[in-house]
Amino acid sequence: MSTEPSWDLYRTFAAVLREGSLSAAARALGLTQPSVARHVEAFEQAVGGKLFLRSQRGLSPTDRALALQPYAEELVAASAAMLRTASADPEDIAGTVRISASEIVAAEHLPPMLAAIRRQYPKLSIELVASDAVDDLLQRRADIAIRMVDPVQQALVARRIGTVQLGLYAHRDYLDRRGLPQSIAELPGHDLIGVDRNSSLSRAITGALPGIEHGDFALRADNTVVHLAAIRAGFGIGICQTRIAARDSALVQVLPDAFVFGLPLWIVMHEDLRSSARCRTVFNILAADLRYVVNA
């Protein structure tokens, strides 16, 4: 690489990787498709090799592109974090705070909390990332993260809120049709809602249900919001947070003594953000409000 590529080329490269096509990247960046194509070509010339191969499904990244991907993503994350930091004076409770939370927490718990924060601090804007993936706070992909796993990274301000209790639940309509199982051994005879792809967390949860295998699930999805919607629709029996289920009188806990599982709830942020009034304020408010979510 004889010359340093412009920032626009890095940003476009990352967008094409993320979106999978020139047209989708153009929409995401607010550019024209020819402009994106020119950026990709210029970046390929700068790095000295092909970055994408055309296929019927769009663009496929080359090995060179995949090797560059984490660095491009770090640059994009750092740029976004810089803009958030510059969005207001550090001592003002204004500007932008980016929050990462699991899909179910983002959908079921955070909206009223964020609405109250907005009412109290109308100059504050929130970016909410709803994902079960654990965002890397050290790379500033988010300012604040709400996690259901113990934090392992250093240089983080972490506060354990408590334990989120999970249980098996079904809608009354489903139980009226199919009956209430009396033991875990009877569960395979019911319409079960579970995960599609195995993960360490899913294995831990299903491990608390001895005898239940992947093929026993009548509905498989990796999105916990979908699980909850299916339970509410009367599809069958699935796992739900007890605090969420308690809001709906139509949801009935199944085998409460046989299935007991809890997940830790943490709120974390990068220690450098202690000096940011907006991040510190949002962190403390959410830490207090989230206590109603936990069972212990």
Side-chain angles (χ1 to χ4, degrees), residues 75-118:
L75 287 172
V76 171
S79 173
M82 182 177 67
L83 292 176
R84 292 197 301 273
T85 301
S87 63
D89 187 280
E91 296 304 316
D92 290 340
I93 304 177
T96 301
V97 177
R98 187 174 179 86
I99 301 170
S100 171
S102 69
E103 293 161 345
I104 197 71
V105 169
E108 292 291 326
H109 296 309
L110 288 185
M113 301 178 192
L114 298 180
I117 290 174
R118 174 70 179 182

Coordinates of all heavy atoms in Angstrom, one line a residue, residues 75-118:
L75 N -12.5 0.4 12.9 CA -12.5 1.8 12.5 C -13.8 2.5 12.5 O -14.0 3.6 12.9 CB -11.8 1.9 11.1 CG -10.3 1.7 11.0 CD1 -9.9 1.6 9.5 CD2 -9.6 2.8 11.7
V76 N -14.8 1.7 12.0 CA -16.2 2.2 12.0 C -16.7 2.4 13.4 O -17.4 3.4 13.7 CB -17.1 1.2 11.2 CG1 -18.6 1.6 11.3 CG2 -16.7 1.2 9.7
A77 N -16.5 1.5 14.3 CA -16.9 1.6 15.6 C -16.2 2.8 16.3 O -16.9 3.6 17.1 CB -16.6 0.3 16.4
A78 N -14.9 3.0 16.1 CA -14.2 4.1 16.7 C -14.8 5.4 16.2 O -14.9 6.4 16.9 CB -12.7 4.0 16.4
S79 N -15.1 5.5 14.9 CA -15.6 6.7 14.3 C -17.0 7.0 14.9 O -17.2 8.2 15.3 CB -15.7 6.6 12.8 OG -16.4 7.7 12.2
A80 N -17.8 6.0 15.1 CA -19.1 6.2 15.6 C -19.0 6.7 17.1 O -19.7 7.6 17.6 CB -20.0 5.0 15.5
A81 N -18.1 6.1 17.8 CA -17.9 6.4 19.2 C -17.4 7.9 19.3 O -17.8 8.6 20.3 CB -16.9 5.5 19.9
M82 N -16.5 8.3 18.4 CA -16.0 9.6 18.4 C -17.1 10.6 18.2 O -17.1 11.7 18.9 CB -14.9 9.8 17.3 CG -14.2 11.2 17.3 SD -12.9 11.3 16.1 CE -13.9 11.1 14.5
L83 N -18.0 10.3 17.3 CA -19.1 11.2 17.0 C -20.1 11.3 18.2 O -20.6 12.4 18.5 CB -19.9 10.8 15.7 CG -19.1 10.9 14.4 CD1 -19.9 10.3 13.3 CD2 -18.7 12.4 14.1
R84 N -20.3 10.2 18.9 CA -21.1 10.2 20.1 C -20.5 11.1 21.1 O -21.1 11.8 21.8 CB -21.4 8.8 20.6 CG -22.2 7.9 19.7 CD -22.8 6.7 20.5 NE -21.7 5.9 21.0 CZ -21.1 4.9 20.4 NH1 -21.4 4.6 19.1 NH2 -20.2 4.2 21.0
T85 N -19.2 10.9 21.3 CA -18.4 11.7 22.3 C -18.5 13.2 22.0 O -18.6 14.0 22.9 CB -17.0 11.3 22.4 OG1 -16.9 9.9 22.7 CG2 -16.2 12.0 23.5
A86 N -18.5 13.5 20.7 CA -18.5 14.9 20.3 C -19.9 15.5 20.2 O -20.1 16.7 19.9 CB -17.8 15.1 19.0
S87 N -20.9 14.6 20.5 CA -22.3 15.1 20.2 C -22.8 16.1 21.3 O -23.8 16.7 21.1 CB -23.2 13.9 20.2 OG -23.2 13.2 21.5
A88 N -22.0 16.2 22.4 CA -22.4 17.2 23.4 C -21.2 17.4 24.3 O -20.3 16.6 24.3 CB -23.6 16.7 24.2
D89 N -21.3 18.5 25.1 CA -20.2 18.7 26.1 C -20.3 17.6 27.1 O -21.3 17.1 27.6 CB -20.5 20.0 26.8 CG -19.4 20.4 27.8 OD1 -19.3 19.9 28.9 OD2 -18.6 21.3 27.4
P90 N -19.1 17.1 27.6 CA -19.0 16.0 28.5 C -19.8 16.2 29.8 O -20.2 15.3 30.5 CB -17.5 15.8 28.8 CG -16.8 16.4 27.6 CD -17.7 17.5 27.1
E91 N -20.0 17.5 30.2 CA -20.6 17.8 31.4 C -22.1 17.9 31.3 O -22.9 18.1 32.2 CB -20.0 19.0 32.1 CG -18.6 18.9 32.5 CD -18.4 17.7 33.4 OE1 -19.2 17.5 34.4 OE2 -17.4 16.9 33.2
D92 N -22.6 17.9 30.0 CA -24.0 18.1 29.8 C -24.7 16.7 29.6 O -24.1 15.8 29.1 CB -24.3 18.9 28.5 CG -23.9 20.3 28.6 OD1 -23.8 20.8 29.7 OD2 -23.7 21.0 27.6
I93 N -25.9 16.6 30.1 CA -26.7 15.4 29.9 C -27.5 15.6 28.6 O -28.7 15.9 28.6 CB -27.6 15.1 31.1 CG1 -26.8 15.0 32.4 CG2 -28.3 13.8 30.9 CD1 -27.6 14.8 33.6
A94 N -26.7 15.5 27.5 CA -27.2 15.7 26.2 C -26.4 14.9 25.2 O -25.3 14.4 25.6 CB -27.2 17.2 25.8
G95 N -26.8 14.8 24.0 CA -26.0 14.1 23.0 C -26.6 12.6 22.9 O -27.7 12.4 23.1
T96 N -25.7 11.7 22.5 CA -26.1 10.4 22.1 C -25.4 9.3 23.0 O -24.2 9.4 23.3 CB -25.7 10.0 20.7 OG1 -26.4 11.0 19.8 CG2 -26.2 8.6 20.3
V97 N -26.2 8.4 23.5 CA -25.7 7.2 24.2 C -26.1 6.0 23.5 O -27.3 5.8 23.2 CB -26.2 7.2 25.7 CG1 -25.8 5.9 26.4 CG2 -25.8 8.4 26.4
R98 N -25.2 5.1 23.2 CA -25.5 3.8 22.5 C -25.5 2.7 23.6 O -24.6 2.5 24.3 CB -24.4 3.6 21.5 CG -24.7 2.4 20.6 CD -23.6 2.3 19.5 NE -23.8 1.1 18.6 CZ -24.6 1.2 17.5 NH1 -25.3 2.2 17.2 NH2 -24.7 0.1 16.7
I99 N -26.7 2.0 23.6 CA -26.9 0.9 24.5 C -27.1 -0.4 23.8 O -27.8 -0.5 22.8 CB -28.2 1.2 25.4 CG1 -28.0 2.5 26.1 CG2 -28.5 0.1 26.4 CD1 -29.3 3.0 26.8
S100 N -26.4 -1.4 24.3 CA -26.5 -2.8 23.7 C -27.2 -3.6 24.8 O -26.9 -3.6 26.0 CB -25.2 -3.3 23.4 OG -25.3 -4.7 23.1
A101 N -28.2 -4.4 24.4 CA -29.0 -5.3 25.3 C -29.5 -6.5 24.5 O -29.6 -6.4 23.3 CB -30.2 -4.5 25.9
S102 N -29.8 -7.5 25.2 CA -30.4 -8.7 24.6 C -31.7 -8.3 23.9 O -32.3 -7.4 24.3 CB -30.5 -9.8 25.6 OG -31.6 -9.5 26.5
E103 N -32.1 -9.1 23.0 CA -33.3 -8.8 22.2 C -34.5 -8.7 23.2 O -35.4 -7.8 23.1 CB -33.6 -9.9 21.2 CG -32.5 -9.9 20.1 CD -32.5 -11.2 19.3 OE1 -33.0 -12.2 19.7 OE2 -31.8 -11.2 18.2
I104 N -34.6 -9.7 24.1 CA -35.8 -9.7 25.0 C -35.8 -8.5 26.0 O -36.8 -7.9 26.2 CB -35.9 -11.0 25.7 CG1 -37.3 -11.2 26.3 CG2 -34.9 -11.2 26.8 CD1 -38.4 -11.5 25.2
V105 N -34.6 -8.2 26.5 CA -34.5 -7.0 27.4 C -34.8 -5.7 26.6 O -35.5 -4.8 27.1 CB -33.1 -7.0 28.0 CG1 -32.9 -5.6 28.8 CG2 -32.9 -8.1 29.0
A106 N -34.3 -5.6 25.4 CA -34.5 -4.4 24.6 C -36.0 -4.2 24.2 O -36.5 -3.1 24.2 CB -33.7 -4.5 23.3
A107 N -36.7 -5.3 24.0 CA -38.1 -5.2 23.6 C -39.0 -5.1 24.7 O -40.1 -4.4 24.7 CB -38.4 -6.4 22.7
E108 N -38.8 -5.9 25.8 CA -39.8 -6.0 26.9 C -39.5 -5.1 28.1 O -40.4 -4.8 28.8 CB -39.8 -7.5 27.3 CG -40.4 -8.4 26.3 CD -41.9 -8.2 26.1 OE1 -42.6 -7.8 27.0 OE2 -42.4 -8.3 24.9
H109 N -38.3 -4.8 28.4 CA -37.9 -4.0 29.6 C -37.5 -2.6 29.4 O -37.9 -1.7 30.1 CB -36.8 -4.8 30.4 CG -37.2 -6.1 30.8 ND1 -38.3 -6.4 31.6 CD2 -36.6 -7.3 30.7 CE1 -38.4 -7.7 31.8 NE2 -37.3 -8.3 31.3
L110 N -36.7 -2.3 28.3 CA -36.1 -1.0 28.2 C -37.0 0.1 27.7 O -36.8 1.2 28.2 CB -34.9 -1.1 27.3 CG -33.6 -1.8 27.9 CD1 -32.5 -1.7 26.9 CD2 -33.3 -1.3 29.3
P111 N -38.0 -0.2 26.8 CA -38.7 1.0 26.3 C -39.3 1.9 27.3 O -39.1 3.2 27.2 CB -39.8 0.3 25.4 CG -39.1 -0.9 24.9 CD -38.3 -1.4 26.1
P112 N -40.0 1.5 28.4 CA -40.5 2.4 29.3 C -39.4 3.1 30.1 O -39.6 4.3 30.5 CB -41.4 1.6 30.3 CG -41.0 0.2 30.1 CD -40.5 0.1 28.7
M113 N -38.3 2.5 30.4 CA -37.2 3.1 31.1 C -36.6 4.2 30.2 O -36.3 5.3 30.7 CB -36.1 2.0 31.4 CG -36.6 0.9 32.3 SD -35.3 -0.3 32.6 CE -36.2 -1.6 33.3
L114 N -36.4 3.9 28.9 CA -35.8 4.9 28.0 C -36.8 6.1 27.8 O -36.3 7.2 27.6 CB -35.5 4.2 26.7 CG -34.4 3.1 26.8 CD1 -34.1 2.5 25.4 CD2 -33.1 3.6 27.4
A115 N -38.1 5.8 27.8 CA -39.1 6.8 27.6 C -39.0 7.8 28.8 O -39.1 9.0 28.6 CB -40.5 6.3 27.5
A116 N -38.8 7.3 30.0 CA -38.7 8.1 31.2 C -37.4 8.9 31.2 O -37.4 10.1 31.6 CB -38.8 7.2 32.4
I117 N -36.3 8.3 30.7 CA -35.1 9.0 30.6 C -35.2 10.2 29.6 O -34.8 11.3 29.9 CB -33.9 8.1 30.2 CG1 -33.6 7.1 31.3 CG2 -32.7 8.9 29.8 CD1 -32.6 6.0 30.9
R118 N -35.9 9.9 28.5 CA -36.1 11.0 27.5 C -36.9 12.1 28.0 O -36.6 13.3 27.7 CB -36.7 10.3 26.2 CG -37.1 11.3 25.1 CD -35.9 11.9 24.4 NE -36.3 12.9 23.4 CZ -35.5 13.5 22.6 NH1 -34.2 13.4 22.7 NH2 -36.0 14.3 21.7

